[in-house]
Amino acid sequence: MSKTIKKANFWIRRRSHLPLIAICTLVVLVLFFNEDTSIALNMEYDKEINELTQEIEQCRDSAAYYRSQREALIHGEDNLEHLAREKFHMQRPSEDVYILK
């Protein structure tokens, strides 16, 4: 019996990498094919997060621009007249207006 145990022990030591390979394969399968922890799904979520972060930054920039425009309109009458004339294509009788497209 001890000879059989020695042979089994020798065989297990020689093939000790097999359980490691089996465990690694199982982990990889779980990571790729499990719906909750899928790497592809996480990459998709990261991409969406980056896109939404960029959209937030663009909205903050445009909000700051419109906030500064509002402050300029509140504090200056010349700016108000200039904006109204530009937006509604109005002109004074002594002015020539050129519209570029």
Side-chain angles (χ1 to χ4, degrees), residues 15-51:
R15 287 167 177 77
S16 62
H17 61 284
L18 291 178
L20 180 65
I21 291 174
I23 290 171
C24 290
T25 304
L26 182 65
V27 167
V28 168
L29 289 174
V30 166
L31 287 176
F32 279 107
F33 295 113
N34 189 5
E35 292 180 8
D36 297 333
T37 60
S38 172
I39 291 176
L41 190 60
N42 284 334
M43 289 173 48
E44 191 176 312
Y45 287 154
D46 287 339
K47 182 180 176 185
E48 186 175 347
I49 287 170
N50 290 336
E51 289 173 358

Side-chain angles (χ1 to χ4, degrees), residues 3-101:
K3 196 173 192 183
T4 317
I5 293 174
K6 284 182 182 180
K7 282 184 180 181
N9 190 15
F10 179 71
W11 185 83
I12 290 172
R13 275 192 277 148
R14 284 195 56 162
R15 287 167 177 77
S16 62
H17 61 284
L18 291 178
L20 180 65
I21 291 174
I23 290 171
C24 290
T25 304
L26 182 65
V27 167
V28 168
L29 289 174
V30 166
L31 287 176
F32 279 107
F33 295 113
N34 189 5
E35 292 180 8
D36 297 333
T37 60
S38 172
I39 291 176
L41 190 60
N42 284 334
M43 289 173 48
E44 191 176 312
Y45 287 154
D46 287 339
K47 182 180 176 185
E48 186 175 347
I49 287 170
N50 290 336
E51 289 173 358
L52 291 173
T53 304
Q54 289 175 356
E55 186 177 339
I56 287 170
E57 288 301 319
Q58 289 175 353
C59 289
R60 283 186 183 152
D61 291 344
S62 64
Y65 169 75
Y66 287 119
R67 196 174 295 117
S68 67
Q69 289 293 321
R70 185 188 68 195
E71 292 297 322
L73 290 175
I74 289 172
H75 296 301
E77 293 180 11
D78 294 336
N79 293 334
L80 180 63
E81 180 183 351
H82 175 72
L83 182 66
R85 290 173 54 211
E86 186 177 291
K87 185 162 182 98
F88 298 110
H89 303 292
M90 300 171 74
Q91 67 183 21
R92 292 184 179 152
S94 62
E95 286 182 332
D96 293 327
V97 176
Y98 299 101
I99 298 175
L100 304 173
K101 291 185 180 182

